[in-house]
Amino acid sequence: MLKSTFALLLFASLSTPLFAQTPPTTPTQMPSRATIPAISRSASKQKLDEAYTAKIKEFTTGPEFTTELVDHLPASDRVPSPLKVLGHISGEAGKLTYTADVNRYMRELAKTSKRVKVFSMGKSEEGREMILVAVSDEGNLKNLDKQKQITARLADARKTTDAEAETMIKDGKPFYWFTGAMHSTETGSPEMLMELAYRLAVEDSPFIQNIRKNVIVLLTPVLETDGRDRVLDVIFNRAKYPGLNPIYWGHYVQHDNNRDGMSLALALTRNVMASFLEYHPLVLHDLHESVPFLYTSTGSGPYNAWLDPIVINEWHMLAYQEINEMSKRGVPGVWTHGFYDGWAPNYMFFLANGHNAIGRFYETFGNSDPATQDRTVGAQATRDWFRPNPPLARVKWSLRNNVNYQQSAGLFALQYTADHRMELLNSFYLKSKRAIEKAATEGPAAYIFPSGDVRQSQQLELVHLLQLHGIEVHAAKQEFKADGHSFGIGSFIVRMDQPYSRMADMLMDQQYYNVTDPNPYDDTGWSLGPLKNVQTDRVLDSAVLSANMELLPPDYSPKGAIYVGEMSTGGATGTNSTHLLTSKYVFIHNRGDAGFATCRFLLGDISVNMPTAVGDGTGRDLIVETASLSPEQAKRLYAAILTSRQYAEGRETTVPSVPVRAPRIALFHNWQFTQNEGWWRIGFDQWKVPYDYIDPHKIRDIADLKSKWDVIVFSPGIASGGSLVSGVSAPNPIPWKKTTETPNLGLPDSSDDIRGGIGEAGMQHLKDFVAQGGTLIAATGSCNALIDLGLAKGVTTVQAPNFQGQGTVLNTVVMADNNAIVTGFDKTLAAYFSNSPFFQIEGETGPPAPTPDANAPIRARNQGFTGRPSGRGAGNDPDIIQGRKPLNKFTPDGGVSRFYPGFDQSLILLPEWARELKSKPDGPTVVMRFADAKNLLVSGMLAGGDGLAGRAAVVDVKNGLGHVVLFATNPMWRAETQGSYPLVFNACLYLPNLTVK
């Protein structure tokens, strides 16, 4: 039996396993390069595949770029190599494999080897299959379900005693999961993973046998299946179509598909998350290609402060194992640190780190194009403390070199996992125990989403997101108190005494990034409650864990529409449509909830009115006259309210109203950079807001834009008015369409020739569109394009001096309460901002400009900060070390409770100079401003906030009969900012209907 000091033993020393471990019976330590050839085959009489081995040598550009593990391939009379099935070896110059053929090869392995199984993980947005390949001993695969049960039990220490865990760890085989081709222009990993699967299945060296016996290797060769096929079409057709580039990878985004680890908005991330929760792998190892020659992840810091320190220690443990073994063999350029920081949890491999496993990645020197090339290495060829074995300054690099590096290092990681499987499974179990203890050690005790939140659909979306992460959410069955606050029946409770408490905490908590730390690799703030404009209360009082509550099922959906006013009291739910439809009118109230837009479009052809005045108690509600509805429409009305979770009220009214129609929306993309608009498409698609997807040629060629659309949305990604007008420039036509040669192009949009922008004609068409009553919407850098074209007179963009705030969450303040854009919103809103320009309004001087000073950036970096380490909480909160009880006299976690919104909504949160500013009747309307410097930061990094405080964040420019709406913030960022979505949706729904004709 284990002692009560179980939790301290492994923390003290990962090198001392908690349970006795029998040493491997076969020595697997590799000799120095001087004693090679090779233990990987020296103890074996296995025949080599001479043809394949010869090609490995042919396409490796030097002996220093390989190891004895991968400089050969064993032969098999039964199991086919990639060469036999595909006609080329992995890493052959000029050869890359489409997704369907990669999957076909893996299934050929499964047909011919009992050591391989293939499972479907699901489909991409465009219907391409993602697969999961399992490779191990035949006995391990026969008992695959048993092994899955073992890892599931170890992953949840609430269901497993220490004695049971000891037995399971002796019997268990850790899952080690490699994933490839997330970034579609990084083409080498699927080739390597096919060869690795074959090698693990066929080779009988003691080295490989040890891995097969003690590890179940999982492989997903292509994560971004849509993008893989598109990029290969581009690569193989560039000679015919010079200038052709992979404008799209996935259906929605490009490189940002590796920034979806929190939101799970993409099919590939959801499929990986679901498979992770099925297998509970010990390691999730993602393969990337960007820097020479092999970077294995640890990071330069600051590291994510919500992780158990054991996880971070394991990053280093595995990385140094690989570096050491590769360096022994004289392989140049294998290193760690000095790249990436380990802070933000938005990367896909954080699905492991946030769930008590180990998330890792490689960056290798990929060529993208499979041609062997002479390459020059920049600063990374310099020796440094973290890179004592640097890459060569110049190199002839091949796809096969890339395969050699990835596969060799990956095999050393598998070797270490096999040799230390029990120790690592101990750690896996212990991390679960420590996560369950979190409520009583580091805290908090829970997060609470109070019942009665007016933004019901956004609250429910957050609940469902946590459930997709495997995080348990409960609902209160009766009223209770915590931290001096009362919470009603139906409040959602996210307990911190569950295995994935750390993931929940890092998603919901406040972040603090000290600006004196190294420049961040990505976003610094991401607090999901504020970004979704949902009340999220961080509670320290452990009494909350004794509240009467029930666990929500994974597919939880509240039953009944939400009624107010005469229909019910206390937020009770209705049961059928007749209750709602007994009155002559149904009012659907806009509470600043994204579901309001969903509801409007679900109504379809139902006649909808809107009050003609604001301030009469009805706001800008949707009004439906029930007497005019057919029985089918009545059912649709009720279903729309129910589905979108909107507050509805049936009552009589004498309020004057006018008919309003659902707007016709166009979402614009250029042919230069499509990624950021992809996140906007996700936002519109998620909330079922229909749109046409248009390119510059539509604006150029359609003279009467207003006859087709009411709103045109320019999401981020347009550099300037000049680039909007000119577009792509090239001497020859560049098609983006499906053809016999390019069967995977032509999505999500198609063109015979992507060259050219909106042109001079398009400029005039946009001006006419607005003058006739159309609405133009733009965000961040794309605002410059509309300003450059003279469509937003009185507005310019300015960069905040000395401002530092990369990917941060800031408070904004509503200025124009009667503007339709902010219908339903409170006085303040947390918004995403990342060093974007703010707006200068004509006639506004703002605060006095700072005097230029060479030392200003240094002072800005240190202004207002205590010097505490980057971590959870605010700048004046104490640092909280995870995995241990605090040694001070603070409250349970050494911190404080947090309630969002975290300040009195009645306060004026603006700098003095901005408090009395009023928009001119004939000038731009400042709809929202950034809060004052004291209240500006919600989460993340901030210095030099005085230069941004009080500045215009959202502007509505009246232009003729129409509107131009500009966002300095990004209201649709990576599916994290649903709280800001209604600003865009309101502009679409209301502004075209407010035009006086």
Side-chain angles (χ1 to χ4, degrees):
M1 293 295 292
L2 299 177
K3 305 295 184 182
S4 60
T5 55
F6 181 95
L8 299 177
L9 293 175
L10 186 55
F11 182 74
S13 175
L14 284 175
S15 63
T16 305
L18 294 175
F19 306 123
Q21 180 172 351
T22 303
T25 57
T26 303
T28 58
Q29 283 299 109
M30 305 304 295
S32 69
R33 197 172 184 86
T35 65
I36 295 169
I39 198 166
S40 68
R41 63 178 188 272
S42 63
S44 170
K45 302 298 183 182
Q46 189 172 15
K47 182 181 177 180
L48 293 185
D49 184 326
E50 298 293 350
Y52 200 108
T53 300
K55 283 183 172 288
I56 291 175
K57 183 176 181 180
E58 175 186 352
F59 294 112
T60 299
T61 64
E64 66 273 28
F65 302 131
T66 190
T67 72
E68 80 284 4
L69 301 181
V70 301
D71 64 359
H72 66 285
L73 198 75
S76 173
D77 296 332
R78 184 165 48 89
V79 182
S81 71
L83 180 61
K84 290 180 180 178
V85 174
L86 304 172
H88 60 85
I89 73 163
S90 296
E92 182 169 334
K95 303 292 184 181
L96 292 170
T97 311
Y98 283 89
T99 300
D101 288 329
V102 173
N103 294 353
R104 175 170 63 90
Y105 176 71
M106 292 301 196
R107 287 195 164 98
E108 286 297 318
L109 287 182
K111 287 179 184 177
T112 56
S113 174
K114 294 181 179 179
R115 295 170 177 170
V116 181
K117 287 189 175 183
V118 177
F119 306 93
S120 180
M121 292 173 60
K123 300 287 184 69
S124 69
E125 282 84 0
E126 294 176 9
R128 293 176 179 87
E129 185 185 28
M130 293 173 62
I131 63 170
L132 184 69
V133 183
V135 189
S136 191
D137 268 354
E138 181 180 345
N140 289 340
L141 292 189
K142 281 184 176 179
N143 292 304
L144 190 61
D145 286 342
K146 176 184 176 183
Q147 291 299 328
K148 288 163 62 176
Q149 291 170 6
I150 287 174
T151 56
R153 290 284 300 277
L154 294 176
D156 189 349
R158 297 171 304 178
K159 302 175 181 178
T160 309
T161 67
D162 289 347
E164 290 170 335
E166 183 172 358
T167 300
M168 291 176 185
I169 288 169
K170 289 177 181 177
D171 294 340
K173 311 295 181 183
F175 292 95
Y176 194 114
W177 189 2
F178 288 101
T179 58
M182 171 177 285
H183 288 157
S184 302
T185 55
E186 300 166 11
T187 55
S189 54
E191 311 299 323
M192 185 281 286
L193 290 171
M194 288 189 289
E195 184 177 292
L196 177 61
Y198 174 88
R199 189 182 303 279
L200 291 172
V202 168
E203 187 167 311
D204 63 6
S205 68
F207 182 92
I208 296 296
Q209 288 186 46
N210 181 49
I211 292 172
R212 273 200 306 264
K213 178 182 177 182
N214 290 291
V215 181
I216 300 174
V217 182
L218 302 177
L219 311 170
T220 296
V222 183
L223 285 169
E224 179 54 89
T225 54
D226 299 334
R228 171 77 175 180
D229 291 353
R230 270 195 267 278
V231 166
L232 265 57
D233 276 3
V234 168
I235 289 172
F236 294 140
N237 287 278
R238 273 185 178 144
K240 183 173 182 180
Y241 303 109
L244 182 63
N245 287 302
I247 303 157
Y248 297 94
W249 296 358
H251 186 76
Y252 287 114
V253 297
Q254 297 177 331
H255 190 271
D256 261 11
N257 59 12
N258 198 24
R259 302 298 186 274
D260 188 43
M262 291 190 290
S263 295
L264 308 181
L266 303 175
L268 75 85
T269 328
R270 292 193 300 272
N271 291 341
V272 171
M273 186 75 259
S275 294
F276 182 94
L277 295 173
E278 179 180 355
Y279 287 85
H280 301 94
L282 176 74
V283 181
L284 177 59
H285 190 153
D286 197 24
L287 302 174
H288 289 268
E289 301 166 26
S290 68
V291 298
F293 290 142
L294 189 152
Y295 166 85
T296 177
S297 62
T298 52
S300 59
Y303 291 147
N304 183 285
W306 293 262
L307 294 176
D308 193 310
I310 296 174
V311 175
I312 295 169
N313 296 338
E314 288 167 331
W315 292 351
H316 294 83
M317 181 173 63
L318 285 162
Y320 277 105
Q321 170 69 14
E322 295 155 336
I323 293 168
N324 199 32
E325 292 300 333
M326 296 287 276
S327 297
K328 286 178 184 178
R329 288 152 177 78
V331 179
V334 182
W335 52 286
T336 190
H337 303 297
F339 181 85
Y340 169 71
D341 55 29
W343 172 254
N346 52 10
Y347 309 98
M348 188 207 68
F349 73 95
F350 253 84
L351 302 186
N353 289 323
H355 293 80
N356 302 322
I358 306 168
R360 318 185 63 221
F361 69 93
Y362 287 162
E363 297 284 356
T364 53
F365 208 32
N367 281 356
S368 185
D369 190 307
T372 299
Q373 302 172 17
D374 291 319
R375 303 283 297 274
T376 298
V377 176
Q380 287 160 335
T382 303
R383 183 170 57 83
D384 211 322
W385 70 266
F386 55 85
R387 194 167 45 228
N389 171 24
L392 308 179
R394 290 189 59 81
V395 63
K396 182 179 288 294
W397 195 256
S398 68
L399 178 62
R400 182 64 209 189
N401 291 0
N402 188 64
V403 168
N404 293 339
Y405 270 70
Q406 284 186 347
Q407 191 173 177
S408 295
L411 284 167
F412 286 127
L414 291 174
Q415 171 206 19
Y416 186 88
T417 304
D419 288 349
H420 299 270
R421 67 172 182 86
M422 291 177 60
E423 176 185 332
L424 291 167
L425 288 173
N426 283 342
S427 175
F428 185 59
Y429 174 62
L430 177 57
K431 285 180 288 186
S432 172
K433 289 192 68 172
R434 289 155 61 104
I436 293 164
E437 294 165 354
K438 178 177 170 61
T441 54
E442 314 100 273
Y447 285 88
I448 301 175
F449 311 158
S451 60
D453 194 315
V454 297
R455 298 175 182 93
Q456 290 283 319
S457 67
Q458 287 169 200
Q459 185 188 66
L460 190 59
E461 187 273 336
L462 180 55
V463 168
H464 286 166
L465 174 60
L466 295 177
Q467 290 182 314
L468 285 176
H469 275 282
I471 296 165
E472 295 175 353
V473 182
H474 289 73
K477 298 176 69 175
Q478 63 186 47
E479 293 184 3
F480 66 97
K481 286 189 175 181
D483 284 355
H485 292 258
S486 296
F487 298 93
I489 297 172
S491 294
F492 297 119
I493 303 169
V494 184
R495 303 171 63 105
M496 292 293 106
D497 58 351
Q498 61 171 299
Y500 301 146
S501 63
R502 299 195 189 283
M503 190 71 197
D505 196 23
M506 73 175 73
L507 293 178
M508 305 307 305
D509 205 357
Q510 182 180 12
Q511 293 81 47
Y512 168 83
Y513 194 102
N514 193 315
V515 293
T516 62
D517 274 330
N519 287 333
Y521 195 80
D522 203 77
D523 287 347
T524 58
W526 56 82
S527 300
L528 291 189
L531 282 177
K532 295 180 188 299
N533 204 14
V534 171
Q535 187 170 345
T536 51
D537 296 346
R538 183 179 184 272
V539 173
L540 303 183
D541 187 356
S542 59
V544 66
L545 303 177
S546 300
N548 186 3
M549 66 182 80
E550 60 183 350
L551 179 65
L552 299 181
D555 58 349
Y556 170 75
S557 179
K559 291 182 171 57
I562 301 171
Y563 305 146
V564 296
E566 298 177 5
M567 296 306 302
S568 66
T569 58
T573 58
T575 57
N576 58 61
S577 59
T578 57
H579 290 167
L580 185 62
L581 302 178
T582 52
S583 297
K584 186 175 181 180
Y585 297 97
V586 171
F587 284 73
I588 305 170
H589 301 298
N590 188 341
R591 303 295 182 91
D593 183 36
F596 182 80
T598 305
C599 185
R600 174 62 187 94
F601 287 100
L602 289 176
L603 295 178
D605 62 357
I606 295 174
S607 296
V608 178
N609 281 27
M610 183 176 69
T612 57
V614 179
D616 56 4
T618 62
R620 289 191 173 89
D621 299 334
L622 301 180
I623 307 174
V624 179
E625 186 175 1
T626 58
S628 65
L629 299 179
S630 68
E632 185 277 331
Q633 288 177 321
K635 290 180 181 179
R636 182 148 33 97
L637 169 64
Y638 179 72
I641 297 168
L642 178 69
T643 301
S644 60
R645 302 294 299 156
Q646 295 308 293
Y647 283 79
E649 176 183 15
R651 65 179 174 89
E652 302 298 318
T653 184
T654 57
V655 173
S657 62
V658 293
V660 295
R661 69 176 185 178
R664 302 161 301 166
I665 302 169
L667 183 56
F668 174 87
H669 74 89
N670 59 23
W671 289 106
Q672 295 159 301
F673 184 66
T674 60
Q675 173 157 277
N676 286 342
E677 59 82 16
W679 290 114
W680 284 57
R681 279 191 285 130
I682 287 175
F684 278 73
D685 290 347
Q686 177 190 6
W687 296 94
K688 298 179 174 59
V689 176
Y691 59 91
D692 292 328
Y693 190 46
I694 66 170
D695 73 350
H697 305 157
K698 295 286 196 305
I699 293 177
R700 179 193 67 194
D701 299 338
I702 299 174
D704 188 3
L705 295 172
K706 188 64 178 68
S707 68
K708 292 186 66 67
W709 300 294
D710 302 299
V711 182
I712 301 176
V713 179
F714 294 86
S715 54
I718 306 168
S720 65
S723 67
L724 179 62
V725 171
S726 61
V728 175
S729 177
N732 300 307
I734 305 173
W736 183 268
K737 65 179 184 178
K738 182 176 181 178
T739 68
T740 303
E741 297 162 316
T742 58
N744 301 292
L745 304 190
L747 286 173
D749 200 3
S750 179
S751 175
D752 291 330
D753 186 2
I754 67 173
R755 294 178 303 166
I758 67 171
E760 297 290 333
M763 290 175 57
Q764 187 59 49
H765 297 163
L766 285 177
K767 291 176 180 178
D768 293 343
F769 172 79
V770 180
Q772 294 165 12
T775 299
L776 297 177
I777 299 173
T780 66
S782 293
C783 296
N784 289 319
L786 301 189
I787 292 171
D788 290 347
L789 298 183
L791 293 166
K793 293 181 179 180
V795 183
T796 56
T797 57
V798 184
Q799 199 74 38
N802 303 322
F803 178 82
Q804 291 175 270
Q806 180 172 316
T808 192
V809 186
L810 302 180
N811 273 316
T812 59
V813 182
V814 171
M815 298 297 296
D817 292 18
N818 63 344
N819 190 282
I821 296 170
V822 290
T823 300
F825 280 86
D826 300 324
K827 186 66 176 176
T828 63
L829 175 69
Y832 174 87
F833 186 80
S834 188
N835 294 319
S836 304
F838 60 84
F839 301 123
Q840 177 70 49
I841 308 302
E842 186 176 12
E844 285 186 14
T845 58
T851 303
D853 183 346
N855 294 319
I858 298 173
R859 282 199 295 272
R861 289 176 70 87
N862 292 283
Q863 177 183 345
F865 290 91
T866 64
R868 59 153 288 190
S870 295
R872 72 143 309 272
N876 59 355
D877 281 347
D879 189 33
I880 303 301
I881 305 301
Q882 299 296 295
R884 74 184 194 202
K885 294 182 178 179
L887 303 178
N888 49 39
K889 296 182 180 180
F890 290 110
T891 49
D893 71 340
V896 295
S897 299
R898 298 287 183 195
F899 296 87
Y900 178 80
F903 42 78
D904 186 342
Q905 290 280 311
S906 66
L907 296 178
I908 300 175
L909 302 171
L910 289 170
E912 187 173 354
W913 68 267
R915 292 179 185 177
E916 303 303 324
L917 287 176
K918 303 293 182 182
S919 299
K920 297 179 180 179
D922 56 346
T925 298
V926 178
V927 180
M928 304 182 79
R929 293 186 183 274
F930 291 102
D932 60 29
K934 179 181 177 182
N935 295 291
L936 185 58
L937 180 65
V938 176
S939 281
M941 168 197 221
L942 178 63
D946 286 337
L948 185 67
R951 297 291 193 166
V954 181
V955 177
D956 179 9
V957 182
K958 197 75 167 63
N959 187 327
L961 296 176
H963 296 259
V964 178
V965 179
L966 306 176
F967 290 88
T969 60
N970 189 336
M972 290 189 168
W973 176 247
R974 293 178 176 169
E976 298 170 19
T977 59
Q978 281 88 349
S980 299
Y981 286 12
L983 296 174
V984 177
F985 294 157
N986 281 348
C988 293
L989 290 169
Y990 290 125
L991 296 187
N993 285 299
L994 295 178
T995 300
V996 178
K997 297 184 179 180

